[in-house]
C-alpha cells in the first residue's frame, strides 16, 4: 500500500535521526588547503566558538515542514511539523495527505513514542531499545541537539564532554572538519564547521561519508538564526535514501502547544510490529 511505503520511508529517515549517523556528499570547491594544518588548529577553540553561536531557545515551532524523499528510486512528498520544548520533548508530525497528521514521533528525556494514527497503534520504548536493535547508544539530549543545529556526542552534550570526544581531522579553505574519537560500527561522528557554524553533520567510515545532513542557509526569526532546511543522504550499497527538507513558518520562544494523543484509544505494540527496524 502507498501509505505503508510512505511510513516505511519515514521510519528510514527517522532511523538516521535515531542513530545520529548522518553525513552527506557535498561538492567541494577547488580551493587549496590553507597553511593552517589540522595539527595546529585547537579543537577547544573550534568547539567553544561553535557553541557560542549555536541557536539558544526554550521552544521552537516549525509549523510548516516539507519533505521530498527518495527511497530506492521511489519518490514521496510529505508535509509535517517539528516542535521542540528544550529538555522536555521533540515532536515530529507527518501529514502525507490533506494536512491531517497521520504519524507522529515524540522523544522524551526517558523514552520515545511512535504513533500510527491511521491504524491506531503506538509503540513506546526506552532508549535502550535503540541500543539493543542498532548497537548505538543514544540519549534524548543528543537527538534534541541534532534537531536544534547544535554540536553533540551520542550521549553527551556539555562543552567539556564534546571537546573530549572530538579531534581536528582536516582544515580545507575555511571549513574545519572534526571527527569523533569513539568508533561505532566502524564509523565515527563528523562535523564540518564553517565560520563557526555547523554546515554538515555525519558519520563516516575509514574513507567515506556514510550518512549525512547538510544544512541550508541561515534565516533569522525571533532573533534566532536557524537553517532554512536540510539535505539528508545515505551512501549505502543496498539502500539508497535521500531527502530534501525545507522549513517554513518557524518561530522561537513562543507559547507552544503540542496536543497530546489519547493512547487509550490505541493498541500498544512494538516498533518492529509497526515497521521493520533493522541495523
Amino acid at each position: 500500500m502507498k501509505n505503508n511505503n510512505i511510513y516505511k520511508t519515514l521510519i528510514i529517515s527517522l532511523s538516521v535521526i535515531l542513530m545520529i549517523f548522518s553525513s552527506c556528499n557535498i561538492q567541494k570547491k577547488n580551493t587549496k588547503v590553507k597553511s593552517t594544518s589540522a595539527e595546529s588548529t585547537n579543537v577547544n577553540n573550534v568547539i567553544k566558538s561553535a557553541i557560542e553561536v549555536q541557536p539558544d531557545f526554550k521552544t521552537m515551532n516549525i509549523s510548516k515542514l516539507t519533505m521530498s524523499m527518495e527511497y530506492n528510486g521511489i519518490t514521496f512528498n510529505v508535509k509535517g511539523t517539528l516542535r521542540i520544548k528544550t529538555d522536555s520533548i521533540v515532536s515530529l508530525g507527518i501529514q502525507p495527505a490533506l494536512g491531517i497528521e497521520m504519524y507522529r514521533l515524540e522523544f522524551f528525556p526517558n523514552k520515545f513514542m511512535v504513533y500510527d494514527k491511521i491504524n491506531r497503534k503506538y509503540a513506546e520504548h526506552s532508549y535502550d531499545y535503540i541500543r539493543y536493535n542498532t548497537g548505538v547508544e543514544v540519549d534524548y539530549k543528543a537527538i534534541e541537539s541534532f534537531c536544534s543545529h547544535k554540536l553533540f556526542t551520542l550521549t553527551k552534550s556539555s562543552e567539556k564532554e564534546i571537546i573530549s570526544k572530538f579531534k581536528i581531522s582536516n582544515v580545507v579553505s575555511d571549513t574545519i572538519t572534526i571527527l569523533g574519537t569513539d568508533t561505532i560500527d566502524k564509523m565515527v561522528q563528523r562535523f564540518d564547521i564553517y565560520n563557526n557554524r555547523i554546515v554538515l553533520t555525519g558519520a563516516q567510515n575509514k574513507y567515506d561519508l556514510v550518512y549525512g545532513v547538510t544544512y541550508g542557509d541561515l534565516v533569522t526569526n525571533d532573533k534566532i538564526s536557524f537553517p532554512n532546511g536540510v539535505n539528508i543522504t545515505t551512501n549505502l550499497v543496498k539502500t539508497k535514501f535521500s531527502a530534501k527538507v525545507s522549513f517554513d513558518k518557524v518561530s522561537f520562544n513562543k507559547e507552544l502547544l503540542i496536543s497530546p494523543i489519547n493512547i487509550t484509544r490505541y493498541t500498544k505494540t512494538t516498533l518492529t510490529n509497526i515497521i521493520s527496524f533493522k541495523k
Side-chain angles (χ1 to χ4, degrees), residues 34-52:
K34 279 192 170 183
S35 57
T36 304
S37 66
E39 290 75 15
S40 63
T41 303
N42 190 308
V43 69
N44 296 47
N45 293 337
V46 172
I47 290 176
K48 285 177 180 291
S49 298
I51 289 176
E52 283 180 1

Side-chain angles (χ1 to χ4, degrees), residues 108-221:
F108 301 94
N110 63 338
K111 65 182 180 181
F112 70 96
M113 300 183 72
V114 179
Y115 306 90
D116 178 351
K117 300 177 77 172
I118 296 176
N119 299 302
R120 292 191 179 277
K121 296 180 180 180
Y122 79 97
E124 178 179 349
H125 296 286
S126 72
Y127 292 102
D128 285 340
Y129 181 87
I130 301 174
R131 178 167 59 85
Y132 292 148
N133 284 275
T134 69
V136 178
E137 186 175 357
V138 63
D139 68 3
Y140 168 81
K141 199 61 183 178
I143 293 170
E144 181 189 285
S145 297
F146 172 80
C147 296
S148 301
H149 195 213
K150 296 181 179 181
L151 291 170
F152 61 90
T153 69
L154 293 179
T155 57
K156 306 293 181 182
S157 58
S158 74
E159 180 178 307
K160 182 178 180 180
E161 290 162 333
I162 292 173
I163 289 173
S164 70
K165 292 294 184 180
F166 284 92
K167 63 181 180 180
I168 301 294
S169 171
N170 199 14
V171 182
V172 178
S173 187
D174 294 322
T175 300
I176 300 172
T177 297
I178 61 175
L179 295 181
T181 55
D182 292 337
T183 301
I184 302 171
D185 196 21
K186 298 181 181 180
M187 291 185 287
V188 294
Q189 276 186 276
R190 170 177 170 173
F191 285 100
D192 283 8
I193 299 172
Y194 173 79
N195 196 25
N196 297 330
R197 295 282 186 171
I198 304 166
V199 293
L200 178 149
T201 181
Q204 70 174 56
N205 56 28
K206 187 176 181 179
Y207 301 106
D208 301 310
L209 294 162
V210 181
Y211 301 91
V213 171
T214 51
Y215 294 95
D217 296 332
L218 296 179
V219 177
T220 300
N221 292 288

Side-chain angles (χ1 to χ4, degrees), residues 1-11 14 67 69 76-83 91-97 99-106 113-122 261 266 271 274-275:
M1 292 178 62
K2 184 177 180 180
N3 284 339
N4 187 58
N5 286 334
I6 292 174
Y7 193 66
K8 183 175 181 180
T9 304
L10 168 63
I11 291 298
L14 294 178
M67 291 187 287
M69 300 178 287
F76 303 97
N77 295 290
V78 298
K79 297 185 181 299
T81 60
L82 177 62
R83 296 180 170 93
S91 177
L92 175 64
I94 301 298
Q95 306 161 357
I100 300 172
E101 184 181 72
M102 294 186 179
Y103 313 107
R104 188 189 294 183
L105 176 65
E106 292 183 334
M113 300 183 72
V114 179
Y115 306 90
D116 178 351
K117 300 177 77 172
I118 296 176
N119 299 302
R120 292 191 179 277
K121 296 180 180 180
Y122 79 97
I261 294 176
Y266 283 61
L271 183 56
I274 295 177
I275 194 67

